[in-house]
Amino acid sequence: MTSFGLRLKSILKKSGIVVLCSGALFFLLNLIFPLPTALPYSTIVTDNKGEVVHAYLTPDEKWRMKTKLEEISPLLKKTLIRKEDRYFYSHPGVNPLSIARAIGNNIFRMKRTSGASTITMQVARSLEPRRRTYGAKVVEIFRALQLEWRYSKDEILQLYLNHIPYGGNIEGVKSASILYFDKSPDHLSLAEITALSIIPNRPSSLVIGKNNDLIVKERNRWLRKFAQEKLFTQKEIEDALNEPLTAVRGRVPKFIPHLAGYLKNRGSDIIPTHIDMNKQTKTEVLVQDYIRTLRTMNIRNAAVVIIDNRSHKVITYIGSADFYDTTDGGQVNGAAAVRQPGSTLKPLLYGLCIDNGLVTPKMVITDVAVNYRGYAPENYDRKFNGYVTMEYALDHSLNIPAVKGLTQLGKDRMVAALATCNFQQIKKDEQKLGLSLILGGCGASLEELTGLYSSFANDGVYTSPVYRADEKVSTGKRILSPASNFMITEVLSKVNRPDFPLNWHSTEHMPKIAWKTGTSYGRRDAWSIGYNKQYTIGVWVGNFSAQGIPELSGANIATPLLFKIFNTIDYDPDQEWFGQPTDCQIRKVCSETGLLPAEECTSVVTDYFIPLVSGTKQCANRQETMVSADEKISYCMSCVPPNGYKKKIYKAISPDMQAWMDDNRVSYVHIPVHNPDCENIFREGGPMIISPSNGSEYLLSKTNPEPVQLRCKAGNDVGKVFWYVNNKFIKSSTPQTPVFFMPTEGPVKISCTDDKGRNRDVWVTVRYINL
């Protein structure tokens, strides 16, 4: 081997050793001095178009918004790289030629004229700011190598764009483009990009809004350089040179503040939403104008949630009438607040009852006084309606039929369905809830209720509303069959109903929707939630102070706003409506009971039903009774005489309906008193004691005690009842006449026996106290 070859081999060997040692030293230093943690970014919230609609300062009070890789347009990348570091994609984070040139210039001119910093080195300096010294430059070089080792070139460029200083508390090209030009970085023009690219070198002397003329001068100097290098076409350069700079520092968008704050708590630098700002803005104006008209009634707030039924996206979210109104807590999020839902859960209850074969729309229910172990629900108007159909009970929002339905269905089934629909407070209170649940005796939010009603618009399948664009749509869960869901929608879409708003003028367009209203106890909350094929809209109106307002109701206060919103965002009188599903069929039923007609039924109507699910019980509304020739005595099979009697058809009326008819003076044909000579003692069907309630405790004043009322319901053929207290006879009366007595302290046994010998007992406890 020649001497040259030996020398070359020795040089290569030494170079290899140097490289290996340098690499080992780098890895060791990398372990000892890891890269500093990236600076925190401002949390930004975007709409369905990706535009920033809300943003928050970083913990260090900076506007430092994260620019996504897809927001770095080719124009932005091309311009910045040419100006700052044309060899960015070629060097390993450090440009040795630039460093050598900078050292030569500094020595020749006896002062620092150039720093030779690459984009990567500038990123290193922004992550770890230091005084500009030669030692600091060495650290920058090391950090730059670390950055190149960890990140791709595009990621480093992204970091650079996110940390460029623009003076004051503005950092990053996205923050600058939004605050100065009110647009995203990928929408910036060549002139705007060039203007922004020169500011970081002199952020204190080149301030947009203050030094625009100086910025334009410097901008145009660079544009001419670009023209000389033919970086852009002549037309692009001319347009950029002629573009004026009138920008000033603006304000960061502060739209959808309630939703922004709600989602910010879940973390993430960029929170993409599905909010449609066109519909959001229109709805906000409607809400503000509408609440302004209600202030004379001392009603000051409202909340609205709109869901796109096909995609399950939340496209509008309003937490209060005015976020900045301090008179009634405008910053409270009324859409997420847990409040009493009033009657808004009744559609789900009746749908579940239909699916369990308990009712159909035309089935008749008795709306009369009831008492469930001391719980005696009342209707909204404190009146009873007697015989009502299920659909009448729903569209009139009657309370007693709903409580009866929940009793038949079982509270646990109802709670399970609500839990499936993510009613969080109801999940927590499951063990505490009772029959009052269906009348609003529970906690629910507008978000949850709107999500529930969106399932009615999707054939009874519940899908969690989607608030963020980066969240996947969850798998739907069926809560109602298509048939029962259709029946409920048919009832809720009727216009001729008592909860139609009295103040809705006939000249205003009536949207084709299905809707339900609700008013909480004490008139603190007014609800109206409606849906069609396209949207579900939930409206809450009230005061965050929980102040009750006499005029507040779901029908007359919340529903007009619901109608206005539908008319504004979805005005289409010919839109598609819900079709009857195949598992929903039609049959004839007795109009007096809603059951399958018997031979005696003379009036029939059509009714929806679900084959193999809906009940098949035949109507027994008429009963044949054996009576004397003068129709004053009735007989049973044990006492019927051989002759001298006849058979007559009477309407079967339950004891509770008889009591209602008597109280409301509704005439009906009584079955004659049973044969007094009958020796048969009836053991079934004894009178029902409705007052006092079994197991109740009565607290009576020692100084001014009030007597306890005794009332019962008895069969149509009962003429007299006999009252006993602690097995001692008190008084006899007709079944409809109340009896009063003064009880002794302690446990009290109350017995009621009818004129057929049938008996019923209840026990109560009496305590005398000082009042």
PDB file of all heavy atoms in Angstrom, residues 319-333:
ATOM      1  N   GLY A 319     -76.054  28.972  26.225  1.00  0.00           N
ATOM      2  CA  GLY A 319     -76.219  28.698  27.644  1.00  0.00           C
ATOM      3  C   GLY A 319     -77.031  29.741  28.391  1.00  0.00           C
ATOM      4  O   GLY A 319     -77.594  29.456  29.451  1.00  0.00           O
ATOM      5  N   SER A 320     -77.114  30.945  27.850  1.00  0.00           N
ATOM      6  CA  SER A 320     -77.912  32.005  28.478  1.00  0.00           C
ATOM      7  C   SER A 320     -78.240  33.050  27.429  1.00  0.00           C
ATOM      8  O   SER A 320     -77.661  33.054  26.334  1.00  0.00           O
ATOM      9  CB  SER A 320     -77.167  32.647  29.651  1.00  0.00           C
ATOM     10  OG  SER A 320     -76.065  33.411  29.187  1.00  0.00           O
ATOM     11  N   ALA A 321     -79.156  33.954  27.773  1.00  0.00           N
ATOM     12  CA  ALA A 321     -79.554  34.988  26.816  1.00  0.00           C
ATOM     13  C   ALA A 321     -78.397  35.939  26.519  1.00  0.00           C
ATOM     14  O   ALA A 321     -78.271  36.438  25.403  1.00  0.00           O
ATOM     15  CB  ALA A 321     -80.761  35.755  27.345  1.00  0.00           C
ATOM     16  N   ASP A 322     -77.554  36.199  27.503  1.00  0.00           N
ATOM     17  CA  ASP A 322     -76.413  37.102  27.316  1.00  0.00           C
ATOM     18  C   ASP A 322     -75.325  36.714  28.307  1.00  0.00           C
ATOM     19  O   ASP A 322     -75.489  36.870  29.515  1.00  0.00           O
ATOM     20  CB  ASP A 322     -76.841  38.558  27.525  1.00  0.00           C
ATOM     21  CG  ASP A 322     -75.719  39.549  27.249  1.00  0.00           C
ATOM     22  OD1 ASP A 322     -74.586  39.112  26.991  1.00  0.00           O
ATOM     23  OD2 ASP A 322     -75.982  40.772  27.285  1.00  0.00           O
ATOM     24  N   PHE A 323     -74.224  36.228  27.801  1.00  0.00           N
ATOM     25  CA  PHE A 323     -73.135  35.754  28.645  1.00  0.00           C
ATOM     26  C   PHE A 323     -72.603  36.850  29.559  1.00  0.00           C
ATOM     27  O   PHE A 323     -72.167  36.589  30.681  1.00  0.00           O
ATOM     28  CB  PHE A 323     -72.004  35.224  27.759  1.00  0.00           C
ATOM     29  CG  PHE A 323     -70.839  34.644  28.516  1.00  0.00           C
ATOM     30  CD1 PHE A 323     -70.899  33.364  29.033  1.00  0.00           C
ATOM     31  CD2 PHE A 323     -69.670  35.375  28.700  1.00  0.00           C
ATOM     32  CE1 PHE A 323     -69.825  32.815  29.731  1.00  0.00           C
ATOM     33  CE2 PHE A 323     -68.593  34.844  29.402  1.00  0.00           C
ATOM     34  CZ  PHE A 323     -68.680  33.560  29.910  1.00  0.00           C
ATOM     35  N   TYR A 324     -72.661  38.085  29.095  1.00  0.00           N
ATOM     36  CA  TYR A 324     -72.072  39.194  29.845  1.00  0.00           C
ATOM     37  C   TYR A 324     -73.101  39.953  30.693  1.00  0.00           C
ATOM     38  O   TYR A 324     -72.786  41.000  31.261  1.00  0.00           O
ATOM     39  CB  TYR A 324     -71.372  40.148  28.874  1.00  0.00           C
ATOM     40  CG  TYR A 324     -70.283  39.462  28.103  1.00  0.00           C
ATOM     41  CD1 TYR A 324     -70.491  39.040  26.788  1.00  0.00           C
ATOM     42  CD2 TYR A 324     -69.057  39.160  28.702  1.00  0.00           C
ATOM     43  CE1 TYR A 324     -69.494  38.370  26.082  1.00  0.00           C
ATOM     44  CE2 TYR A 324     -68.066  38.490  28.001  1.00  0.00           C
ATOM     45  CZ  TYR A 324     -68.291  38.100  26.692  1.00  0.00           C
ATOM     46  OH  TYR A 324     -67.308  37.424  26.013  1.00  0.00           O
ATOM     47  N   ASP A 325     -74.319  39.432  30.787  1.00  0.00           N
ATOM     48  CA  ASP A 325     -75.346  40.037  31.628  1.00  0.00           C
ATOM     49  C   ASP A 325     -75.186  39.523  33.052  1.00  0.00           C
ATOM     50  O   ASP A 325     -75.297  38.321  33.306  1.00  0.00           O
ATOM     51  CB  ASP A 325     -76.732  39.687  31.080  1.00  0.00           C
ATOM     52  CG  ASP A 325     -77.853  40.290  31.910  1.00  0.00           C
ATOM     53  OD1 ASP A 325     -77.556  41.147  32.773  1.00  0.00           O
ATOM     54  OD2 ASP A 325     -79.014  39.906  31.715  1.00  0.00           O
ATOM     55  N   THR A 326     -74.946  40.417  33.985  1.00  0.00           N
ATOM     56  CA  THR A 326     -74.716  40.013  35.376  1.00  0.00           C
ATOM     57  C   THR A 326     -75.971  40.086  36.231  1.00  0.00           C
ATOM     58  O   THR A 326     -75.943  39.719  37.405  1.00  0.00           O
ATOM     59  CB  THR A 326     -73.644  40.919  36.017  1.00  0.00           C
ATOM     60  OG1 THR A 326     -74.084  42.280  35.948  1.00  0.00           O
ATOM     61  CG2 THR A 326     -72.314  40.781  35.284  1.00  0.00           C
ATOM     62  N   THR A 327     -77.099  40.544  35.665  1.00  0.00           N
ATOM     63  CA  THR A 327     -78.312  40.695  36.470  1.00  0.00           C
ATOM     64  C   THR A 327     -78.921  39.354  36.870  1.00  0.00           C
ATOM     65  O   THR A 327     -79.616  39.263  37.873  1.00  0.00           O
ATOM     66  CB  THR A 327     -79.366  41.516  35.712  1.00  0.00           C
ATOM     67  OG1 THR A 327     -79.679  40.844  34.473  1.00  0.00           O
ATOM     68  CG2 THR A 327     -78.851  42.905  35.413  1.00  0.00           C
ATOM     69  N   ASP A 328     -78.682  38.321  36.075  1.00  0.00           N
ATOM     70  CA  ASP A 328     -79.213  36.999  36.424  1.00  0.00           C
ATOM     71  C   ASP A 328     -78.212  35.906  36.074  1.00  0.00           C
ATOM     72  O   ASP A 328     -78.572  34.855  35.550  1.00  0.00           O
ATOM     73  CB  ASP A 328     -80.541  36.743  35.715  1.00  0.00           C
ATOM     74  CG  ASP A 328     -81.265  35.522  36.292  1.00  0.00           C
ATOM     75  OD1 ASP A 328     -81.467  35.476  37.516  1.00  0.00           O
ATOM     76  OD2 ASP A 328     -81.609  34.608  35.525  1.00  0.00           O
ATOM     77  N   GLY A 329     -76.943  36.164  36.349  1.00  0.00           N
ATOM     78  CA  GLY A 329     -75.915  35.134  36.157  1.00  0.00           C
ATOM     79  C   GLY A 329     -75.772  34.684  34.725  1.00  0.00           C
ATOM     80  O   GLY A 329     -75.880  33.490  34.424  1.00  0.00           O
ATOM     81  N   GLY A 330     -75.519  35.623  33.807  1.00  0.00           N
ATOM     82  CA  GLY A 330     -75.409  35.272  32.397  1.00  0.00           C
ATOM     83  C   GLY A 330     -74.332  34.258  32.091  1.00  0.00           C
ATOM     84  O   GLY A 330     -74.405  33.556  31.078  1.00  0.00           O
ATOM     85  N   GLN A 331     -73.324  34.138  32.956  1.00  0.00           N
ATOM     86  CA  GLN A 331     -72.246  33.185  32.702  1.00  0.00           C
ATOM     87  C   GLN A 331     -72.596  31.774  33.169  1.00  0.00           C
ATOM     88  O   GLN A 331     -71.834  30.837  32.931  1.00  0.00           O
ATOM     89  CB  GLN A 331     -70.960  33.670  33.368  1.00  0.00           C
ATOM     90  CG  GLN A 331     -70.456  34.975  32.768  1.00  0.00           C
ATOM     91  CD  GLN A 331     -69.099  35.394  33.305  1.00  0.00           C
ATOM     92  OE1 GLN A 331     -68.410  34.608  33.929  1.00  0.00           O
ATOM     93  NE2 GLN A 331     -68.730  36.639  33.068  1.00  0.00           N
ATOM     94  N   VAL A 332     -73.747  31.612  33.812  1.00  0.00           N
ATOM     95  CA  VAL A 332     -74.211  30.273  34.163  1.00  0.00           C
ATOM     96  C   VAL A 332     -74.607  29.546  32.885  1.00  0.00           C
ATOM     97  O   VAL A 332     -75.267  30.106  32.015  1.00  0.00           O
ATOM     98  CB  VAL A 332     -75.418  30.349  35.124  1.00  0.00           C
ATOM     99  CG1 VAL A 332     -75.999  28.963  35.375  1.00  0.00           C
ATOM    100  CG2 VAL A 332     -75.009  30.997  36.429  1.00  0.00           C
ATOM    101  N   ASN A 333     -74.208  28.301  32.778  1.00  0.00           N
ATOM    102  CA  ASN A 333     -74.539  27.513  31.590  1.00  0.00           C
ATOM    103  C   ASN A 333     -75.888  26.829  31.790  1.00  0.00           C
ATOM    104  O   ASN A 333     -75.985  25.754  32.370  1.00  0.00           O
ATOM    105  CB  ASN A 333     -73.455  26.472  31.323  1.00  0.00           C
ATOM    106  CG  ASN A 333     -73.669  25.730  30.020  1.00  0.00           C
ATOM    107  OD1 ASN A 333     -74.703  25.877  29.359  1.00  0.00           O
ATOM    108  ND2 ASN A 333     -72.697  24.932  29.627  1.00  0.00           N
TER     109      ASN A 333
END
